[in-house]
Amino acid sequence: MEDATDIALPAEVLPADLGSDEEIDWTAAEERWGTRLPRDCTAFMSLWGAGTFGTVGEVSVLMPLPKEYPQWDPGTFEEETENARHTWEMLHGQEGLDIDPEHILAWGVTSGADILCWLTTDPDPDRWPVLVCGRHTREDFTLFPCGMAEFLRKLLLDEFDPYPISVRLGDAPRYVHWLEQQRRWKAGLDRYSGEPVPADR
């Protein structure tokens, strides 16, 4: 697994100009989840915050705790963690992976209905690998020996073989904070590109 001290995605890979510090209460998050969260997650939330990247919103990073929102719920770990654990139990796990579903914690989703998780068995959260609960992937569950930030970096640079999720990122994907998406939508703009939405849509 990569050095957990390398916690930031380079700006040239994922510009942070449309990100925002999520100002998470990390003590409350630790109380809710019974553990501290990985340092790359806390660093990501302080620079980019929760939101979506891609050209049409292919991958979304969720929030550890709920927040008030102006238009629609941007999504938290809670619901998708329940979905991932339920999927594991419904499919009776997967051969080659010995996992207690209570150790599955979701941090992201894709537009292809994949759920991006951590496997939390290691007592050091900075060593939690990424577990993808895939919808149209080769395996229903695939473990990747890297953290959240490194997984996203490799995804953006197309360094995975085979590709780990059910949707491909478009060219020059951008990251858009969830609140900026809702502001754009309210202004009649496409929430990912920021361009005016045609009247017939």
Side-chain angles (χ1 to χ4, degrees):
M1 191 163 175
E2 286 78 4
D3 186 349
T5 60
D6 184 16
I7 57 177
L9 290 174
E12 62 269 19
V13 176
L14 187 66
D17 54 326
L18 295 176
S20 180
D21 183 353
E22 207 61 67
E23 300 182 348
I24 299 292
D25 182 341
W26 293 110
T27 300
E30 182 172 338
E31 290 175 356
R32 166 61 190 90
W33 296 108
T35 177
R36 76 168 177 86
L37 295 172
R39 286 180 296 158
D40 61 349
C41 175
T42 59
F44 190 96
M45 287 293 167
S46 70
L47 185 57
W48 286 279
T52 305
F53 66 86
T55 53
V56 290
E58 292 92 334
V59 177
S60 296
V61 176
L62 305 170
M63 288 190 292
L65 298 172
K67 273 192 171 184
E68 293 185 7
Y69 49 88
Q71 299 297 328
W72 64 83
D73 187 347
T76 65
F77 291 4
E78 191 90 36
E79 181 178 0
E80 295 304 333
T81 294
E82 291 179 6
N83 288 339
R85 292 174 179 178
H86 174 72
T87 301
W88 177 267
E89 292 174 336
M90 182 179 65
L91 296 176
H92 306 291
Q94 183 162 304
E95 185 177 357
L97 292 179
D98 183 15
I99 294 174
D100 180 338
E102 290 301 310
H103 287 293
I104 296 174
L105 176 58
W107 55 264
V109 293
T110 78
S111 59
D114 310 300
I115 308 174
L116 310 177
C117 311
W118 290 293
L119 178 61
T120 67
T121 51
D122 196 299
D124 180 359
D126 294 325
R127 297 187 61 81
W128 289 349
V130 169
L131 178 71
V132 173
C133 173
R135 183 60 179 263
H136 302 290
T137 50
R138 180 180 297 182
E139 302 287 350
D140 294 319
F141 289 88
T142 310
L143 200 59
F144 295 89
C146 61
M148 166 189 163
E150 182 65 9
F151 180 87
L152 292 174
R153 187 191 69 80
K154 288 183 174 182
L155 190 65
L156 287 159
L157 295 176
D158 198 15
E159 293 182 353
F160 285 110
D161 184 22
Y163 200 68
I165 60 175
S166 301
V167 290
R168 284 272 176 182
L169 296 178
D171 294 333
R174 297 297 304 278
Y175 194 80
V176 186
H177 188 266
W178 66 271
L179 193 54
E180 176 63 18
Q181 292 181 47
Q182 297 195 21
R183 289 179 182 138
R184 288 177 173 183
W185 179 85
K186 195 171 182 179
L189 305 174
D190 182 276
R191 57 182 174 150
Y192 305 118
S193 70
E195 298 295 323
V197 176
D200 59 350
R201 284 179 55 187

Coordinates of all heavy atoms in Angstrom, one line a residue, residues 81 84-86 88-89 99-105 119-120:
T81 N -23.3 3.2 2.8 CA -22.7 2.2 3.7 C -23.7 1.1 3.9 O -23.4 -0.1 3.7 CB -22.2 2.7 5.0 OG1 -21.1 3.6 4.8 CG2 -21.8 1.6 5.9
A84 N -24.0 -0.9 0.6 CA -22.9 -1.8 0.3 C -22.9 -3.0 1.2 O -22.7 -4.1 0.7 CB -21.6 -1.0 0.5
R85 N -23.2 -2.8 2.5 CA -23.3 -3.9 3.4 C -24.5 -4.9 3.0 O -24.3 -6.1 3.1 CB -23.5 -3.4 4.8 CG -22.3 -2.7 5.4 CD -22.5 -2.1 6.7 NE -21.3 -1.4 7.2 CZ -21.3 -0.8 8.4 NH1 -22.4 -0.7 9.2 NH2 -20.1 -0.2 8.8
H86 N -25.6 -4.3 2.6 CA -26.7 -5.1 2.2 C -26.4 -5.9 0.9 O -26.7 -7.1 0.8 CB -27.9 -4.2 2.0 CG -29.1 -5.0 1.4 ND1 -29.9 -5.8 2.1 CD2 -29.6 -5.0 0.1 CE1 -30.8 -6.4 1.4 NE2 -30.7 -5.8 0.2
W88 N -23.4 -6.9 0.0 CA -22.5 -8.0 0.4 C -23.3 -9.2 0.9 O -23.0 -10.3 0.6 CB -21.5 -7.5 1.4 CG -20.6 -8.5 1.9 CD1 -20.8 -9.3 3.0 CD2 -19.3 -9.0 1.3 NE1 -19.7 -10.2 3.2 CE2 -18.8 -10.0 2.1 CE3 -18.6 -8.6 0.2 CZ2 -17.6 -10.6 1.9 CZ3 -17.4 -9.2 -0.1 CH2 -16.9 -10.2 0.7
E89 N -24.2 -8.9 1.8 CA -25.0 -10.0 2.4 C -25.9 -10.6 1.4 O -26.1 -11.8 1.4 CB -25.8 -9.4 3.6 CG -24.9 -9.0 4.8 CD -25.7 -8.3 5.9 OE1 -26.8 -7.7 5.6 OE2 -25.2 -8.3 7.0
I99 N -14.7 -11.0 4.5 CA -15.1 -9.7 5.0 C -16.3 -9.7 5.9 O -17.3 -10.3 5.5 CB -15.3 -8.7 3.8 CG1 -14.0 -8.5 3.0 CG2 -15.9 -7.4 4.3 CD1 -14.2 -7.7 1.8
D100 N -16.2 -9.1 7.1 CA -17.4 -8.9 7.9 C -18.0 -7.6 7.3 O -17.3 -6.6 7.3 CB -17.0 -8.7 9.3 CG -18.1 -8.4 10.3 OD1 -19.2 -8.0 9.8 OD2 -18.0 -8.7 11.5
P101 N -19.3 -7.6 6.9 CA -19.9 -6.4 6.3 C -19.8 -5.2 7.2 O -19.9 -4.1 6.7 CB -21.3 -6.8 6.0 CG -21.6 -8.1 6.8 CD -20.2 -8.7 6.9
E102 N -19.7 -5.4 8.5 CA -19.6 -4.3 9.4 C -18.3 -3.5 9.2 O -18.2 -2.4 9.7 CB -19.7 -4.7 10.9 CG -21.1 -5.2 11.3 CD -22.2 -4.2 11.1 OE1 -22.0 -3.1 11.6 OE2 -23.2 -4.5 10.4
H103 N -17.4 -4.1 8.5 CA -16.1 -3.4 8.2 C -16.1 -2.7 6.8 O -15.1 -2.3 6.3 CB -14.9 -4.4 8.3 CG -14.6 -4.8 9.7 ND1 -14.1 -3.9 10.6 CD2 -14.7 -5.9 10.4 CE1 -13.9 -4.5 11.8 NE2 -14.3 -5.7 11.7
I104 N -17.3 -2.6 6.2 CA -17.4 -1.9 5.0 C -18.0 -0.5 5.3 O -19.0 -0.4 5.9 CB -18.4 -2.6 4.0 CG1 -17.8 -4.0 3.6 CG2 -18.6 -1.8 2.8 CD1 -18.7 -4.9 2.8
L105 N -17.3 0.5 4.9 CA -17.7 1.9 5.1 C -17.6 2.7 3.8 O -16.5 2.8 3.2 CB -16.8 2.6 6.1 CG -17.0 4.0 6.4 CD1 -18.4 4.3 6.9 CD2 -16.0 4.5 7.5
L119 N -12.3 -0.8 3.4 CA -12.4 -2.0 4.2 C -11.6 -1.6 5.5 O -10.4 -1.4 5.5 CB -11.7 -3.2 3.5 CG -11.7 -4.5 4.4 CD1 -13.1 -5.0 4.7 CD2 -10.9 -5.6 3.6
T120 N -12.4 -1.6 6.6 CA -11.9 -0.9 7.8 C -11.3 -1.9 8.9 O -11.2 -1.6 10.1 CB -13.0 -0.1 8.5 OG1 -14.0 -1.0 9.0 CG2 -13.6 0.9 7.5

